[in-house]
């Protein structure tokens, strides 16, 4: 199942399939297509959305998180 | 005759929080001057290291994730790099998160300055059982890679020595080697850095 990163539930994880935001913006923080990530927190309204990638936390705005498509891991 | 017969300028560049300033302090000791970068509120620290009649001016460049600057510190990093075409660049990577730092490292490599890598926080990597294949990383990048620990003072002499072996990176060759022209143990991907498997740079 695919979801926007902004829709991932707390502690849900998945693999990045597509990035429709500035790739540059996320790539240099370690979020890229095929990376595996886990949702840590998601604040409503404008964010931030914080995910864990390779043991690092990466924070981004809700708008950016909406542009990231994730294949959700099966529970 | 001048007291020192050669002077190198070294730019220390890397992501925020990788230990650039800690390394800088180890290398320069007390001989440092902090100033605002002209027209900004961003601090830039410069210091000197003298060794065997050689003088090294070392600049602790503000941390950046990318050279497509998004804040004042990154802007200053870009301007310092652009303003020192002859400087040797020391790219500082955090050994516990090498892959993240390679994005900026490759952008800096595209500038063509002679360059080498300080693989800092090697003590933390050991402690967390993150093993970095230094030989393969060095082979792929084609520049010296020196494991260091700024907190323990490990690798400092090797860093100074690496200044003299710094190479202008060859991006096309790096790309070719990263995509498989490097010989590595059967079944292992090139650049096999524990804990960072998966994901292909765009
Ligand atoms: N374990 C370990 N910690 C280190 C090492 N080098 C630096 N640190 C720690 O990492 C933190 C960040 O170090 P700094 O030297 O401030 O990092 P920086 O790269 O200058 O950061 P910015 O100036 O924000 O870009 C500090 O808490 C240091 O004590 C190291 O080799 N090993
Ligand atoms: Mg610093």
């Amino acid at each position: 199942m695919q979801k926007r990163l902004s829709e991932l539930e707390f502690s849900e994880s998945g693999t990045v399939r597509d990035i429709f935001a500035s790739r540059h913006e996320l790539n240099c923080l370690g979020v890229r297509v095929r990376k595996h990530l886990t949702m840590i927190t998601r604040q409503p309204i404008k964010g931030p959305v914080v995910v864990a990638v390779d043991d690092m936390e990466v924070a981004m705005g809700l708008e950016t998180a909406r542009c990231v498509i994730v294949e959700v891991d099966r529970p | 005759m001048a007291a020192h017969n050669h002077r190198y300028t070294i730019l220390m560049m890397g992501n925020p929080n990788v230990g650039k300033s800690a390394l800088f302090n180890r290398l320069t000791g007390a001989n440092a001057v902090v100033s605002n970068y002209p027209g900004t509120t961003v601090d830039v620290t410069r210091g000197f290291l003298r060794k065997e009649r050689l003088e090294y001016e070392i600049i602790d460049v503000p941390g950046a994730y990318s050279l497509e600057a998004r804040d004042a510190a990154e802007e200053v990093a870009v301007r310092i790099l652009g303003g020192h075409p002859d400087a040797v660049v020391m790219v500082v990577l955090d050994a516990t998160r090498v892959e993240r730092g390679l994005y900026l490292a490759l952008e800096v490599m595209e500038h063509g300055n002679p360059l080498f890598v300080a693989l800092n926080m090697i003590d933390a990597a050991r402690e967390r059982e993150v093993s970095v294949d230094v030989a393969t990383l060095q082979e792929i990048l084609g520049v010296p890679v020196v494991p260091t620990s700024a907190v323990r003072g490990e690798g400092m002499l090797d860093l100074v020595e690496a200044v003299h072996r710094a190479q202008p990176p060859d991006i096309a060759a790096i790309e070719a080697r990263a995509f498989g022209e490097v010989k590595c143990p059967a079944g292992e991907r090139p650049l096999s850095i524990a804990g960072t498997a998966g994901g292909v740079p765009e």
Side-chain angles (χ1 to χ4, degrees):
Chain A
M1 182 189 42
Q2 295 201 342
K3 273 188 183 179
R4 292 169 188 275
L5 179 52
S6 53
E7 296 161 351
L8 227 54
E9 303 297 338
F10 170 70
S11 87
E12 213 172 18
S13 59
T15 304
V16 178
R17 286 289 171 239
D18 234 319
I19 298 179
F20 295 108
S22 154
R23 277 171 181 257
H24 162 77
E25 183 96 356
L26 287 168
N27 285 350
C28 71
L29 295 172
V31 177
R32 295 199 308 260
V33 169
R34 289 172 57 186
K35 276 286 182 184
H36 189 257
L37 44 74
T38 304
M39 176 62 73
I40 294 182
T41 114
R42 189 180 72 186
Q43 304 296 326
I45 319 294
K46 288 174 93 174
V49 171
V50 182
V51 294
V53 189
D54 291 334
D55 267 359
M56 297 177 301
E57 294 187 4
V58 175
M60 66 190 82
L62 197 55
E63 272 311 307
T64 304
R66 281 200 190 103
C67 302
V68 178
I69 307 299
V70 175
E71 179 74 40
V72 181
D73 292 348
R74 279 158 218 239
Chain B
M1 205 182 117
H4 302 279
N5 46 24
H6 199 82
R7 181 163 163 175
Y8 295 86
T9 299
I10 299 166
L11 306 180
M12 300 180 62
M13 301 191 68
N15 286 170
N17 232 30
V18 296
K20 293 179 298 301
S21 300
L23 280 177
F24 174 91
N25 291 338
R26 280 272 178 190
L27 291 169
T28 63
N31 308 312
V33 181
V34 186
S35 57
N36 281 148
Y37 191 83
T40 71
T41 56
V42 178
D43 280 345
V44 178
T45 312
R46 284 160 202 271
F48 290 92
L49 168 68
R50 295 185 182 93
K51 194 171 173 290
E52 289 159 13
R53 298 178 60 78
L54 299 180
E55 186 174 59
Y56 306 85
E57 178 193 27
I58 307 180
I59 305 180
D60 183 7
V61 177
Y65 287 110
S66 148
L67 296 178
E68 278 177 52
R70 294 159 303 173
D71 60 33
E74 288 184 344
E75 183 71 33
V76 168
V78 171
R79 280 157 68 184
I80 293 175
L81 180 61
H84 292 86
D86 298 325
V88 173
V89 178
M90 179 199 300
V91 168
V92 184
L93 297 178
D94 174 344
T96 68
R97 42 188 68 169
V98 169
E99 192 196 338
R100 177 190 244 199
L102 286 175
Y103 189 93
L104 174 79
L106 286 165
E107 283 188 321
V108 172
M109 286 180 181
E110 286 175 343
H111 273 249
N113 295 55
L115 181 149
F116 65 102
V117 173
L119 191 62
N120 194 40
M121 308 226 185
I122 201 73
D123 59 305
R126 272 188 222 121
E127 202 161 291
R128 289 164 53 179
E129 293 177 10
V130 174
S131 70
V132 182
D133 184 345
V134 178
T136 302
L137 185 59
Q138 186 163 265
E139 188 175 349
I140 290 176
L141 298 178
V143 300
V145 176
V146 182
T148 64
S149 166
V151 291
R152 299 209 187 151
E154 270 179 58
M156 297 305 118
L157 290 176
D158 298 333
L159 272 188
V160 179
E161 186 264 336
V163 174
H164 304 274
R165 294 188 291 121
Q167 294 289 325
D170 178 342
I171 295 288
I174 292 170
E175 195 171 359
R177 290 190 295 257
F179 283 97
E181 283 176 26
V182 138
K183 291 176 209 74
C184 49
E188 265 183 47
R189 287 157 33 92
L191 253 188
S192 59
I193 294 164
T196 62
V200 171
E202 303 290 314

